[in-house]
Amino acid sequence: MPDVAGFRRVAEQATGKQVREVRVHDAQVLRGIGADAFERALRRRFFAEPRRHGKWLLIPTAAAANASAAPPTLLVHFGMTGNLQWCAHDEELHAHDRVVFDFAAGELRYRDMRKLTGIHLAREQAEVDGLLADLGPDAQRIDAAEFDSRLTRTRRRLKPALMDQSVLAGLGNICADEILWRARINPNRSTAELSDGDLGRLHREMREMLRVAVRAGRIPDGASWLTGHREEPDRRCPRCSSALRRLRIGGRSTLFCPVCQPG
């Protein structure tokens, strides 16, 4: 989510600008539409204010004068390696620039190395709703009561529950580790074992961590953040200096402090 918030700010540079041309350099990133149809659907459209839900970026478009078709909405999912770049026209094309939206003021480029997800084009609101139908509330905006209810409705391990996009939309692997470390809760705990105090602390720490990370457009990796120590050869907890442990939970690499986050 913090990364997508940063990409939303990049996309804002195209707000109110008219697409002069769309160049699809790799149609594999398009979902449910071919390159020619995609280019035709967006040429001469105006990009409207982008918004984010979870890990999805939505860019509505506005119709050009006298356009006959309803304006579509771009829905972009970035996966592990996708991003948006605002570039000058004469800036050299990157090897992983898959789609380029050309405006008079510059180019918005969708760049993705692994192409695990990609770009959808919804021609009406029902298609937008369908693509987002399985997502839970956005993790940055959910209130404490709904957070408690959704997280504890089934008995399961806590970290996979936090990362389940149908429970909460937006939390990835590193986000979940950071939140759990800040809340001093073991990632292997069962959701059924959480006290009201645990849930309240978890919600507060999630909101605060996301507030800072969304503003930065990434999860900060400073010395006071768990994330800042993930790749160190001798990983130590930035709070108590104990050796950090790494294990796999729900198929994902998980970093935690066994002292600050006892089982």
Side-chain angles (χ1 to χ4, degrees):
M1 177 199 297
D3 300 79
V4 181
F7 303 150
R8 181 184 63 79
R9 290 192 285 271
V10 174
E12 284 178 341
Q13 296 182 73
T15 299
K17 296 178 173 63
Q18 187 178 37
V19 179
R20 301 192 307 184
E21 184 183 9
V22 181
R23 298 189 294 276
V24 177
H25 296 283
D26 190 339
Q28 288 185 4
V29 300
L30 302 181
R31 300 292 183 262
I33 189 170
D36 291 344
F38 184 81
E39 292 169 0
R40 287 195 305 271
L42 292 170
R43 192 178 298 123
R44 300 188 64 206
R45 300 289 186 187
F46 290 85
F47 272 24
E49 184 75 20
R51 65 183 181 90
R52 180 193 57 74
H53 185 87
K55 300 179 182 182
W56 286 84
L57 182 68
L58 288 74
I59 307 176
T61 66
N66 302 319
S68 57
T73 298
L74 280 170
L75 293 96
V76 187
H77 198 290
F78 299 91
M80 296 290 291
T81 60
N83 67 81
L84 286 177
Q85 299 284 331
W86 181 260
C87 302
H89 291 113
D90 59 356
E91 187 170 330
E92 184 177 356
L93 193 71
H94 190 277
H96 301 138
D97 285 342
R98 310 299 183 182
V99 179
V100 176
F101 304 94
D102 179 89
F103 304 88
E107 295 177 349
L108 185 65
R109 300 180 181 180
Y110 175 74
R111 185 174 295 174
D112 191 2
M113 180 177 67
R114 296 176 64 187
K115 302 182 289 185
L116 297 178
T117 50
I119 303 175
H120 299 254
L121 190 69
R123 297 182 181 274
E124 53 187 45
Q125 184 59 40
E127 292 182 58
V128 176
D129 296 341
L131 284 168
L132 304 183
D134 293 334
L135 297 180
D138 187 88
Q140 193 181 14
R141 294 185 282 270
I142 190 171
D143 64 30
E146 187 173 11
F147 176 82
D148 295 359
S149 173
R150 297 187 71 86
L151 199 62
T152 59
R153 61 178 54 173
T154 59
R155 180 187 294 269
R156 59 192 300 192
R157 285 188 294 177
L158 178 54
K159 182 176 176 181
L162 284 174
M163 293 181 61
D164 185 339
Q165 299 302 295
S166 68
V167 175
L168 291 174
L171 298 184
N173 189 50
I174 297 176
C175 267
D177 281 357
E178 190 71 45
I179 293 164
L180 289 165
W181 174 77
R182 289 174 175 272
R184 298 174 180 259
I185 299 176
N186 189 282
N188 253 326
R189 287 270 300 275
S190 168
T191 56
E193 298 171 353
L194 298 174
S195 68
D196 290 344
D198 292 332
L199 289 164
R201 192 166 66 255
L202 194 60
H203 183 259
R204 287 193 302 273
E205 293 296 343
M206 178 182 74
R207 291 289 297 271
E208 177 59 20
M209 192 281 288
L210 289 176
R211 183 187 66 81
V212 176
V214 163
R215 187 173 58 202
R218 61 182 179 84
I219 302 174
D221 56 2
S224 64
W225 288 65
L226 181 72
T227 304
H229 301 266
R230 294 189 75 89
E231 305 305 324
E232 292 179 353
D234 180 26
R235 292 183 291 269
R236 295 279 167 177
C237 174
R239 185 163 46 215
C240 73
S241 298
S242 299
L244 295 170
R245 288 189 59 193
R246 190 187 292 273
L247 49 79
R248 295 191 74 80
I249 299 177
R252 302 301 299 272
S253 176
T254 299
L255 189 68
F256 71 103
C257 175
V259 175
C260 293
Q261 300 166 264

